[in-house]
Amino acid sequence: MSTARVDARRRSIRFDGRTVTLRIDTKSLAIVPDRADHKFPVAKITAVRHREATAWKLGEVVFEAPDAPTAVVENVPLFADKLPGNVFRYEYGKRARVKEFLEAVEAARKK
C-alpha cells in the first residue's frame, strides 16, 4: 500500500497502512530547524475526532490514543500553530485529501 500523506501549516500526517505519523516542524537552539515525529499505531488509536474545514475556519483532526502526547508543542517555527502533539490542522483546500486519509485510517481500524 502506498503511503497517504497530507501537509499543512508546518505539520504533516502520513499513513502507511499500520501507523499514523504526525510530523511537526520544530526548532532547536532558537533557529535550527528540527522535526518531531509522533506515531500512532492503528491498533492503539481509540478515536479520531474530525472537524471539517470551512472557508472561514481551519479543519482539525485529533488522534486519541493511550500514549498520545497532549502537551502543547512550544518550540515551533514562525507561522506554525502551537498545538498538542496529537492535533493536525488544515486549510479548506485540503478537505478532499484529509477525507481520503481519514477513510483509509478508519478502514484499517476496522480490520
Side-chain angles (χ1 to χ4, degrees):
M1 178 181 181
S2 66
T3 302
R5 175 181 169 176
V6 181
D7 295 313
R9 303 181 64 83
R10 299 216 178 196
R11 289 184 180 225
S12 66
I13 48 176
R14 291 184 167 94
F15 181 60
D16 63 4
R18 287 183 277 160
T19 305
V20 174
T21 303
L22 176 62
R23 177 170 278 181
I24 304 166
D25 287 347
T26 59
K27 59 185 178 180
S28 60
L29 301 174
I31 59 169
V32 180
D34 200 4
R35 289 211 166 110
D37 286 350
H38 300 288
K39 297 183 185 247
F40 308 99
V42 171
K44 290 187 176 184
I45 295 175
T46 56
V48 178
R49 289 185 291 143
H50 179 226
R51 183 186 71 217
E52 192 166 323
T54 66
W56 296 277
K57 199 167 195 180
L58 295 172
E60 187 173 272
V61 179
V62 180
F63 297 98
E64 295 180 6
D67 55 351
T70 56
V72 174
V73 179
E74 294 287 338
N75 58 337
V76 295
L78 192 62
F79 305 117
D81 298 324
K82 289 185 179 181
L83 297 169
N86 64 338
V87 177
F88 177 75
R89 280 195 184 151
Y90 63 95
E91 300 90 4
Y92 181 76
K94 309 233 175 179
R95 287 176 311 144
R97 293 191 67 194
V98 170
K99 183 177 179 184
E100 291 172 6
F101 180 90
L102 293 175
E103 287 172 354
V105 171
E106 285 302 317
R109 284 183 65 207
K110 291 178 181 175
K111 287 184 182 179

